[in-house]
Amino acid sequence: MSTYRDDRRADRAAERAQDREDRRLELEAAAQREAARAEERRKDAEAKRRQEQADKKAKQAEQAAKKAAAAARRAKLVRWLKANPATLFVGFVMVASIVPAILSQIGALTGATVAAPMAGLLAAMLEGGAWAITFMGKQAEDAGREPRKYRIGTWAVATVAAAVNFWHGWEQYSEHPWVAFVLGASSLFAIYIWDLKTHGSHGKTKAEKEAEKARRAHVSARRKHHPQIVEQAVKLQAALPFGVLDDEAAFAAAWRIHTGAEPGLSAELYATATNAVLSLGAAFELGDNVREELLETGFKAARLNPFAELTQTPTSQAGLGLNDSQSPPPADRLDAPEGKSEEELEALLPDALAAAAELVAEGRQISAHGLAKKLQIRRVDAAVLRNRVIEQRRLHVA
């Protein structure tokens, strides 16, 4: 049996073991807390580092954006200066003209015992008034309104300002009168430069002026040679709502009303052209029986005929006509009789040429009907040979 002393010893040993365990647990807890704080400090440091990097990158990006924007503005300015050198120098000359003009007017007014503030306001009224009217005129012109009254007002006010400057220069620089002219011009020159800048580039080109001159000459000739038709065209335009008929459409309509034909033609012209064509055709047929040279000349003249749409085709001259009362059926019709082969037609071509010459000599046209009778072949084959004969004759006379 254990004694009391043994029990006490055992209890103390157990207490010491418990104390050691408590201290161990406490140390572990402290170590864990320290580790947690260290991890938190590390995370804070990492977050701070990342934030600093992000701020640095944002600052660099902002600086780069500012530099890029500044470079873009400089490039845009350079491009504008390269594309608009005239505008740059016009602005410079305008400033160089306006400032002396205002100073001269102030000097003139103060020299006339006008108080300096009032002299400055009056000078600003003259020069500023001229430019206010100028810009109002530009705004009206851009809006499509008539700027004439603004331009008249601008030059009127600028002339008054120039007179003041001239008078002041004449009195102030009496030993050098030319200075008065320079000062007077200073109030006008800026206006003139601006007027050239805003209106000088909008004038008509040389080609446009020549076209306008040609158009006026055309209208004048039209009124001279066709006064009744021009009058009728004006009446048509007046009868219809404004803008419905332009000048050309109205003249064309009036021409059709008076002549019944398209513009440029008339019944008399049709008759003259038809008579000439008939006479020429008769001469061709006669020439074919008389001299081959006349026939060739006739073919060439037919190709230069200015009234081709009114005349027979070149193949209708001198017996090469297509004016049969009964045209041959086309070879590709389903109900057409079967014709000869290409080889057979080629073999018949010399005989067809001889038969065509006989028809011309007889004063008849080269037709499918005539070749069919001469060669004793079917009409469909004669039609093909007729086309080949005509082609051969064209090549011969070309």
Side-chain angles (χ1 to χ4, degrees):
M1 294 182 62
S2 62
T3 64
Y4 173 76
R5 185 175 292 177
D6 293 335
D7 292 338
R8 289 289 296 170
R9 190 182 296 113
D11 291 339
R12 292 192 190 99
E15 289 176 0
R16 287 194 297 271
Q18 184 64 41
D19 291 339
R20 286 193 299 269
E21 182 65 20
D22 291 340
R23 285 196 298 272
R24 186 185 66 79
L25 294 175
E26 185 178 351
L27 291 173
E28 287 181 356
Q32 290 176 355
R33 288 193 299 270
E34 184 63 27
R37 286 194 293 269
E39 180 65 20
E40 186 176 354
R41 288 193 298 270
R42 187 190 64 79
K43 289 182 179 179
D44 292 342
E46 181 67 18
K48 184 179 179 180
R49 184 183 63 81
R50 290 180 179 177
Q51 184 63 40
E52 290 176 351
Q53 289 180 347
D55 293 342
K56 184 178 180 181
K57 289 181 179 180
K59 187 176 181 180
Q60 291 176 347
E62 184 179 359
Q63 292 176 350
K66 289 181 179 179
K67 290 181 179 179
R73 287 193 297 269
R74 287 194 299 271
K76 183 178 179 181
L77 178 61
V78 170
R79 288 195 301 270
W80 185 88
L81 292 175
K82 288 182 178 179
N84 302 276
T87 303
L88 175 65
F89 286 101
V90 164
F92 172 76
V93 172
M94 286 171 61
V95 172
S97 176
I98 294 171
V99 172
I102 293 176
L103 294 177
S104 175
Q105 290 166 23
I106 293 174
L109 292 168
T110 54
T113 68
V114 177
M118 184 178 294
L121 291 175
L122 291 175
M125 178 194 72
L126 289 175
E127 289 296 327
W131 285 103
I133 299 173
T134 297
F135 291 127
M136 284 191 293
K138 182 66 169 62
Q139 187 177 12
E141 188 175 10
D142 293 341
R145 298 192 300 273
E146 176 58 47
R148 185 184 303 275
K149 61 181 180 180
Y150 296 101
R151 299 185 70 185
I152 293 174
T154 296
W155 284 106
V157 176
T159 302
V160 173
V164 173
N165 288 338
F166 178 81
W167 191 272
H168 172 65
W170 191 267
E171 291 183 343
Q172 187 72 23
Y173 306 99
S174 57
E175 297 181 359
H176 304 284
W178 59 269
V179 178
F181 291 95
V182 175
L183 290 176
S186 65
S187 289
L188 299 174
F189 192 68
I191 299 293
Y192 178 68
I193 288 292
W194 173 263
D195 194 63
L196 285 180
K197 176 67 175 62
T198 54
H199 297 93
S201 60
H202 301 316
K204 294 180 179 180
T205 63
K206 183 178 179 181
E208 290 173 341
K209 291 179 180 178
E210 291 179 353
E212 181 67 18
K213 182 179 178 181
R215 189 190 69 81
R216 289 196 298 268
H218 176 71
V219 172
S220 177
R222 176 176 283 179
R223 290 182 179 277
K224 177 182 177 181
H225 296 294
H226 310 289
Q228 294 180 345
I229 296 178
V230 171
E231 183 179 359
Q232 181 64 52
V234 173
K235 291 180 179 178
L236 288 175
Q237 288 179 306
L240 294 173
F242 177 76
V244 172
L245 274 182
D246 59 18
D247 293 343
E248 293 300 328
F251 185 83
W255 185 283
R256 296 187 186 97
I257 290 172
H258 275 263
T259 66
E262 290 301 309
L265 298 177
S266 65
E268 292 80 4
L269 289 176
Y270 275 112
T272 300
T274 303
N275 290 335
V277 168
L278 292 176
S279 300
L280 188 62
F284 287 165
E285 297 218 3
L286 177 63
D288 189 50
N289 292 322
V290 178
R291 225 176 28 240
E292 186 68 16
E293 293 82 0
L294 291 179
L295 180 61
E296 295 179 9
T297 303
F299 273 109
K300 294 177 180 177
R303 285 198 296 272
L304 301 176
N305 184 7
F307 293 95
E309 69 278 3
L310 305 179
T311 67
Q312 307 173 53
T313 62
T315 57
S316 66
Q317 308 293 348
L320 299 182
L322 304 178
N323 300 325
D324 279 342
S325 59
Q326 190 175 12
S327 299
D332 55 349
R333 276 179 44 183
L334 296 177
D335 57 346
E338 184 177 357
K340 294 181 179 296
S341 64
E342 289 290 328
E343 292 79 12
E344 293 174 328
L345 292 174
E346 192 66 26
L348 285 173
L349 183 57
D351 296 336
L353 290 171
E358 293 177 4
L359 288 173
V360 172
E362 294 169 2
R364 297 164 57 190
Q365 293 181 342
I366 300 175
S367 62
H369 178 72
L371 288 178
K373 289 182 65 176
K374 289 284 185 181
L375 300 176
Q376 296 298 313
I377 58 176
R378 287 176 296 183
R379 189 181 180 84
V380 63
D381 297 324
V384 177
L385 287 174
R386 187 272 316 274
N387 294 336
R388 295 193 180 183
V389 167
I390 290 174
E391 188 64 28
Q392 290 287 332
R393 289 173 68 88
R394 284 178 181 172
L395 295 175
H396 174 67
V397 299

